[in-house]
Amino acid sequence: MRYREKLLGPGEERLVRYTSSIRDDQAIAGEVLEVLKAHVAHLAERKLIPRGSAARIIRLLEEARKDTGLVLREGYEDVHEAVEAYLEERLGLEAGWAALGRSRNDHVAAALRLRARRLLLDLLASILGLRKTLLSKAEQHMADVIPAHTHFQPAQPTTLAHYLLSVEEALADSWRHIHSTLVDVVDKSPLGSGAAVGTTVPLDRARLSQLLGFREPVVNTLYASSSRLFLFAAASAAYTAMLVVSRFAEDMVLWSHPSLGYVELPPAHLSTSSLMPHKRNPVTMEVLRARAVELLGDLLALAGIEAGLPSGYSLDLQEASRHAWRVLSETIEAVSVVEDLVKGLQATGRGVEEAGRLPLSSPDLAERLSVEKGVPYREAHRTVASMIAEGLGPDAIAKRLGLEAPLTPRESVESKNVLGAPAPGRVEEALRVAWERVRTDEKGFAETLEAYARGEEELGRLVAWVKGGAGGDNGDTQVPEA
Ligand code: ARG
């Protein structure tokens, strides 16, 4: 039986299909069943519904969990209505106990939070993988000098290791932002909020939260049942990783261009032309760049749906989630594609040639002139600039100024000895710090996983109690005396 039938009649198929979320609900069917199971088990432990009925409902929910095709049927408003129809077809009126004390509004929010939690965990794991790959790669390329750019003009010599460390540190910031968004914003239970203002049914919201392994309940029932702020927070936090890898993709496209050629990309990431037999096109990075922009459309949709809504649930919110899933799953994929590329990335040696060909040590000369000869830096800068304008190279400038300045690209790199700069000792130091940060984050990740596992165990124990013992599955349909 569908919700609308008694009040509004059967409706029109075309319009039911227009407003139905059943196809999008594929993404959360498993979570919806899990949430309902926890709710029904809790109703039984609070002696609000017959334990035997709860056991029978839970068995059916578990069957549907194994084959979600049983509940993802067309013709319903959404998976929640379809699940109730599935239960009613098998248990008749007894199935109606599952509807006590809940609304689709609090249940869908709980399912979405569980789904977002899983995707964020996958993303965190894949970012950790990429960070470790970047660090290992940096260890192999500490001596590979390349020009660093500003304004995409060759600026000063650095090393491939120093560059890879810059990507890793950005991803470390992204990782921590995503992890804290997961723990502090997403990982909260809206269950027991009802449609907007809770319920007269004496549910224990903290217990419901615990049964699904949430960290704590969302306190306010109106907020809990009517907002997708957590989805926007999750997607926008995830997008920080997309920002990092899409800039990296752009560097790979440019640096592998034959006119620069600092790096060679692994062949699996290239494709050739149907017409031009010499072409080596960096296609994975091109697609990644485009997807990064496409996801901005999803973020905009997600924020836009929430932005103008009056308080309380509106069906607009149903349209928000697919955008969040796209951002999260595309970002996971992009991170793993980049990890694969980094593993096969090779330095060509052309970076150091390029750095040597250009007067990239000119800032070093000006700085030495200032520090060693007591010339105010602005004046030293002018002096060196005029000599470059005259057409002098670094050697000639150093000679004329009487300086023992670093001249080769490698000497220039060695002379950059402040924290986080490319001097070999500083890169070694940065690598130690970065590996330590990875280990700390791995520990945080494991602790987060353990907390979720504890929730699963708790629900498992309760469900075993519901199914077992007197009243478990003995046909009992009476509500026990409280
Ligand atoms: N399918 C809806 C969603 O995904 C949940 C149902 C809420 N519907 C309602 N009429 N209150 O958000």
Side-chain angles (χ1 to χ4, degrees), residues 108-126:
V108 73
L112 294 173
R113 284 173 181 270
L114 286 179
R115 183 85 205 131
R117 191 166 89 176
R118 294 207 167 109
L119 287 167
L120 289 173
L121 285 171
D122 287 350
L123 177 59
L124 288 168
S126 66

PDB file of all heavy atoms in Angstrom, residues 108-126:
ATOM      1  N   VAL A 108      16.035   9.145   6.065  1.00  0.00           N
ATOM      2  CA  VAL A 108      16.883   9.358   4.884  1.00  0.00           C
ATOM      3  C   VAL A 108      18.137  10.145   5.273  1.00  0.00           C
ATOM      4  O   VAL A 108      19.240   9.865   4.787  1.00  0.00           O
ATOM      5  CB  VAL A 108      16.116  10.027   3.712  1.00  0.00           C
ATOM      6  CG1 VAL A 108      15.837  11.493   3.960  1.00  0.00           C
ATOM      7  CG2 VAL A 108      16.910   9.869   2.415  1.00  0.00           C
ATOM      8  N   ALA A 109      17.992  11.081   6.198  1.00  0.00           N
ATOM      9  CA  ALA A 109      19.172  11.852   6.629  1.00  0.00           C
ATOM     10  C   ALA A 109      20.208  10.924   7.265  1.00  0.00           C
ATOM     11  O   ALA A 109      21.415  11.063   7.027  1.00  0.00           O
ATOM     12  CB  ALA A 109      18.760  12.954   7.601  1.00  0.00           C
ATOM     13  N   ALA A 110      19.724   9.938   8.048  1.00  0.00           N
ATOM     14  CA  ALA A 110      20.663   8.993   8.674  1.00  0.00           C
ATOM     15  C   ALA A 110      21.356   8.142   7.611  1.00  0.00           C
ATOM     16  O   ALA A 110      22.573   7.923   7.659  1.00  0.00           O
ATOM     17  CB  ALA A 110      19.926   8.097   9.669  1.00  0.00           C
ATOM     18  N   ALA A 111      20.576   7.669   6.626  1.00  0.00           N
ATOM     19  CA  ALA A 111      21.167   6.832   5.568  1.00  0.00           C
ATOM     20  C   ALA A 111      22.194   7.626   4.767  1.00  0.00           C
ATOM     21  O   ALA A 111      23.272   7.123   4.427  1.00  0.00           O
ATOM     22  CB  ALA A 111      20.068   6.296   4.653  1.00  0.00           C
ATOM     23  N   LEU A 112      21.877   8.876   4.478  1.00  0.00           N
ATOM     24  CA  LEU A 112      22.819   9.718   3.716  1.00  0.00           C
ATOM     25  C   LEU A 112      24.105   9.939   4.496  1.00  0.00           C
ATOM     26  O   LEU A 112      25.210   9.942   3.942  1.00  0.00           O
ATOM     27  CB  LEU A 112      22.186  11.075   3.384  1.00  0.00           C
ATOM     28  CG  LEU A 112      20.978  11.064   2.431  1.00  0.00           C
ATOM     29  CD1 LEU A 112      20.355  12.453   2.342  1.00  0.00           C
ATOM     30  CD2 LEU A 112      21.360  10.566   1.047  1.00  0.00           C
ATOM     31  N   ARG A 113      23.969  10.128   5.800  1.00  0.00           N
ATOM     32  CA  ARG A 113      25.166  10.329   6.621  1.00  0.00           C
ATOM     33  C   ARG A 113      26.031   9.069   6.650  1.00  0.00           C
ATOM     34  O   ARG A 113      27.263   9.145   6.596  1.00  0.00           O
ATOM     35  CB  ARG A 113      24.773  10.756   8.048  1.00  0.00           C
ATOM     36  CG  ARG A 113      24.337  12.214   8.124  1.00  0.00           C
ATOM     37  CD  ARG A 113      23.796  12.550   9.515  1.00  0.00           C
ATOM     38  NE  ARG A 113      23.343  13.934   9.628  1.00  0.00           N
ATOM     39  CZ  ARG A 113      24.116  14.956  10.000  1.00  0.00           C
ATOM     40  NH1 ARG A 113      25.389  14.756  10.310  1.00  0.00           N
ATOM     41  NH2 ARG A 113      23.611  16.177  10.086  1.00  0.00           N
ATOM     42  N   LEU A 114      25.367   7.905   6.714  1.00  0.00           N
ATOM     43  CA  LEU A 114      26.142   6.656   6.683  1.00  0.00           C
ATOM     44  C   LEU A 114      26.876   6.503   5.356  1.00  0.00           C
ATOM     45  O   LEU A 114      28.037   6.099   5.300  1.00  0.00           O
ATOM     46  CB  LEU A 114      25.229   5.442   6.886  1.00  0.00           C
ATOM     47  CG  LEU A 114      24.707   5.204   8.300  1.00  0.00           C
ATOM     48  CD1 LEU A 114      23.794   3.981   8.315  1.00  0.00           C
ATOM     49  CD2 LEU A 114      25.853   5.022   9.288  1.00  0.00           C
ATOM     50  N   ARG A 115      26.173   6.806   4.267  1.00  0.00           N
ATOM     51  CA  ARG A 115      26.777   6.688   2.932  1.00  0.00           C
ATOM     52  C   ARG A 115      27.959   7.663   2.790  1.00  0.00           C
ATOM     53  O   ARG A 115      29.036   7.299   2.317  1.00  0.00           O
ATOM     54  CB  ARG A 115      25.722   6.986   1.876  1.00  0.00           C
ATOM     55  CG  ARG A 115      26.188   6.834   0.476  1.00  0.00           C
ATOM     56  CD  ARG A 115      26.074   5.390   0.037  1.00  0.00           C
ATOM     57  NE  ARG A 115      26.997   5.080  -1.023  1.00  0.00           N
ATOM     58  CZ  ARG A 115      27.805   4.028  -1.046  1.00  0.00           C
ATOM     59  NH1 ARG A 115      27.814   3.178  -0.035  1.00  0.00           N
ATOM     60  NH2 ARG A 115      28.597   3.810  -2.054  1.00  0.00           N
ATOM     61  N   ALA A 116      27.725   8.907   3.220  1.00  0.00           N
ATOM     62  CA  ALA A 116      28.790   9.917   3.132  1.00  0.00           C
ATOM     63  C   ALA A 116      29.996   9.470   3.960  1.00  0.00           C
ATOM     64  O   ALA A 116      31.152   9.631   3.554  1.00  0.00           O
ATOM     65  CB  ALA A 116      28.275  11.266   3.622  1.00  0.00           C
ATOM     66  N   ARG A 117      29.704   8.878   5.124  1.00  0.00           N
ATOM     67  CA  ARG A 117      30.781   8.401   5.990  1.00  0.00           C
ATOM     68  C   ARG A 117      31.627   7.362   5.265  1.00  0.00           C
ATOM     69  O   ARG A 117      32.862   7.416   5.284  1.00  0.00           O
ATOM     70  CB  ARG A 117      30.129   7.789   7.242  1.00  0.00           C
ATOM     71  CG  ARG A 117      31.053   7.482   8.358  1.00  0.00           C
ATOM     72  CD  ARG A 117      30.269   7.210   9.619  1.00  0.00           C
ATOM     73  NE  ARG A 117      29.923   5.803   9.732  1.00  0.00           N
ATOM     74  CZ  ARG A 117      29.289   5.273  10.792  1.00  0.00           C
ATOM     75  NH1 ARG A 117      28.896   6.056  11.798  1.00  0.00           N
ATOM     76  NH2 ARG A 117      29.025   4.007  10.842  1.00  0.00           N
ATOM     77  N   ARG A 118      30.973   6.398   4.600  1.00  0.00           N
ATOM     78  CA  ARG A 118      31.724   5.350   3.878  1.00  0.00           C
ATOM     79  C   ARG A 118      32.577   5.956   2.770  1.00  0.00           C
ATOM     80  O   ARG A 118      33.738   5.587   2.586  1.00  0.00           O
ATOM     81  CB  ARG A 118      30.765   4.330   3.273  1.00  0.00           C
ATOM     82  CG  ARG A 118      30.044   3.573   4.345  1.00  0.00           C
ATOM     83  CD  ARG A 118      29.586   2.174   3.930  1.00  0.00           C
ATOM     84  NE  ARG A 118      29.201   1.490   5.164  1.00  0.00           N
ATOM     85  CZ  ARG A 118      27.941   1.200   5.503  1.00  0.00           C
ATOM     86  NH1 ARG A 118      26.948   1.451   4.673  1.00  0.00           N
ATOM     87  NH2 ARG A 118      27.672   0.639   6.668  1.00  0.00           N
ATOM     88  N   LEU A 119      31.979   6.867   2.003  1.00  0.00           N
ATOM     89  CA  LEU A 119      32.732   7.449   0.890  1.00  0.00           C
ATOM     90  C   LEU A 119      33.899   8.291   1.396  1.00  0.00           C
ATOM     91  O   LEU A 119      34.992   8.274   0.814  1.00  0.00           O
ATOM     92  CB  LEU A 119      31.807   8.282   0.002  1.00  0.00           C
ATOM     93  CG  LEU A 119      30.839   7.453  -0.866  1.00  0.00           C
ATOM     94  CD1 LEU A 119      29.757   8.336  -1.462  1.00  0.00           C
ATOM     95  CD2 LEU A 119      31.592   6.727  -1.978  1.00  0.00           C
ATOM     96  N   LEU A 120      33.678   9.020   2.480  1.00  0.00           N
ATOM     97  CA  LEU A 120      34.777   9.826   3.029  1.00  0.00           C
ATOM     98  C   LEU A 120      35.907   8.922   3.519  1.00  0.00           C
ATOM     99  O   LEU A 120      37.092   9.243   3.355  1.00  0.00           O
ATOM    100  CB  LEU A 120      34.286  10.733   4.163  1.00  0.00           C
ATOM    101  CG  LEU A 120      33.399  11.912   3.720  1.00  0.00           C
ATOM    102  CD1 LEU A 120      32.828  12.641   4.933  1.00  0.00           C
ATOM    103  CD2 LEU A 120      34.165  12.898   2.839  1.00  0.00           C
ATOM    104  N   LEU A 121      35.553   7.788   4.114  1.00  0.00           N
ATOM    105  CA  LEU A 121      36.592   6.844   4.548  1.00  0.00           C
ATOM    106  C   LEU A 121      37.391   6.332   3.353  1.00  0.00           C
ATOM    107  O   LEU A 121      38.617   6.240   3.392  1.00  0.00           O
ATOM    108  CB  LEU A 121      35.973   5.663   5.303  1.00  0.00           C
ATOM    109  CG  LEU A 121      35.512   5.951   6.734  1.00  0.00           C
ATOM    110  CD1 LEU A 121      34.733   4.771   7.289  1.00  0.00           C
ATOM    111  CD2 LEU A 121      36.700   6.260   7.651  1.00  0.00           C
ATOM    112  N   ASP A 122      36.681   5.997   2.271  1.00  0.00           N
ATOM    113  CA  ASP A 122      37.386   5.543   1.056  1.00  0.00           C
ATOM    114  C   ASP A 122      38.305   6.635   0.532  1.00  0.00           C
ATOM    115  O   ASP A 122      39.433   6.368   0.114  1.00  0.00           O
ATOM    116  CB  ASP A 122      36.381   5.184  -0.057  1.00  0.00           C
ATOM    117  CG  ASP A 122      35.651   3.881   0.240  1.00  0.00           C
ATOM    118  OD1 ASP A 122      36.055   3.184   1.193  1.00  0.00           O
ATOM    119  OD2 ASP A 122      34.668   3.581  -0.462  1.00  0.00           O
ATOM    120  N   LEU A 123      37.802   7.854   0.562  1.00  0.00           N
ATOM    121  CA  LEU A 123      38.624   8.968   0.066  1.00  0.00           C
ATOM    122  C   LEU A 123      39.858   9.166   0.949  1.00  0.00           C
ATOM    123  O   LEU A 123      40.979   9.331   0.448  1.00  0.00           O
ATOM    124  CB  LEU A 123      37.779  10.250   0.021  1.00  0.00           C
ATOM    125  CG  LEU A 123      38.524  11.513  -0.419  1.00  0.00           C
ATOM    126  CD1 LEU A 123      39.111  11.352  -1.820  1.00  0.00           C
ATOM    127  CD2 LEU A 123      37.594  12.728  -0.393  1.00  0.00           C
ATOM    128  N   LEU A 124      39.648   9.122   2.265  1.00  0.00           N
ATOM    129  CA  LEU A 124      40.784   9.300   3.183  1.00  0.00           C
ATOM    130  C   LEU A 124      41.834   8.213   2.945  1.00  0.00           C
ATOM    131  O   LEU A 124      43.042   8.491   2.920  1.00  0.00           O
ATOM    132  CB  LEU A 124      40.304   9.267   4.637  1.00  0.00           C
ATOM    133  CG  LEU A 124      39.519  10.511   5.088  1.00  0.00           C
ATOM    134  CD1 LEU A 124      38.841  10.256   6.431  1.00  0.00           C
ATOM    135  CD2 LEU A 124      40.439  11.731   5.183  1.00  0.00           C
ATOM    136  N   ALA A 125      41.372   6.981   2.736  1.00  0.00           N
ATOM    137  CA  ALA A 125      42.321   5.887   2.483  1.00  0.00           C
ATOM    138  C   ALA A 125      43.071   6.143   1.178  1.00  0.00           C
ATOM    139  O   ALA A 125      44.288   5.940   1.104  1.00  0.00           O
ATOM    140  CB  ALA A 125      41.582   4.548   2.431  1.00  0.00           C
ATOM    141  N   SER A 126      42.377   6.621   0.146  1.00  0.00           N
ATOM    142  CA  SER A 126      43.085   6.785  -1.123  1.00  0.00           C
ATOM    143  C   SER A 126      44.037   7.983  -1.066  1.00  0.00           C
ATOM    144  O   SER A 126      45.114   7.937  -1.667  1.00  0.00           O
ATOM    145  CB  SER A 126      42.122   6.850  -2.306  1.00  0.00           C
ATOM    146  OG  SER A 126      41.335   7.994  -2.229  1.00  0.00           O
TER     147      SER A 126
END
